[in-house]
Amino acid sequence: MTTEQYDKVAGELMALARSIETSKRPGYTQGSADVLANFKRTADRAGVTVGQAWAVFFLKHIDAITSIMAQPELEVSEAPPGRFADAINYLRLGFAILKEREDGTA
């Protein structure tokens, strides 16, 4: 894959990530202005930290991507491009959780 080809597919992935993030946010935040509300609610209900709640969601997502890559013959419930794009969103959200914790605003 050439640099130009890579830049094109990477750009497509980033655009898809943003589109997924925008479409999913209302459901996950349930009207809250806090984009991390879903992780905070889950953490509270499960009795774990926000970071731990994020890690469970993220690792489940990575497991799905691992299956796509390691066993391509398996049927998938979500299209692979969306899985990869949403992994970027999970990383962005995880970084936001880390920053909030570091800033003491969590």
Side-chain angles (χ1 to χ4, degrees):
M1 176 175 284
T2 66
T3 300
E4 292 80 16
Q5 291 168 321
Y6 174 80
D7 288 345
K8 183 177 187 267
V9 298
E12 290 171 4
L13 181 64
M14 296 307 288
L16 181 57
R18 182 59 83 180
S19 173
I20 291 169
E21 182 180 46
T22 301
S23 68
K24 287 186 174 183
R25 183 170 289 157
Y28 285 133
T29 60
Q30 296 179 358
S32 172
D34 185 350
V35 298
L36 304 174
N38 180 49
F39 298 106
K40 292 174 182 177
R41 278 192 312 274
T42 300
D44 187 52
R45 290 166 58 195
V48 298
T49 69
V50 176
Q52 289 168 328
W54 171 86
V56 170
F57 284 108
F58 179 68
L59 290 172
K60 177 189 169 294
H61 198 80
I62 295 304
D63 282 348
I65 291 172
T66 301
S67 293
I68 290 167
M69 297 302 285
Q71 298 178 289
E73 72 282 357
L74 291 178
E75 217 172 292
V76 295
S77 62
E78 288 185 40
R83 287 284 189 182
F84 279 90
D86 220 13
I88 292 167
N89 294 330
Y90 275 105
L91 290 170
R92 290 164 47 108
L93 291 161
F95 187 69
I97 290 167
L98 177 68
K99 293 303 287 181
E100 191 172 72
R101 186 173 65 203
E102 287 175 353
D103 295 343
T105 57

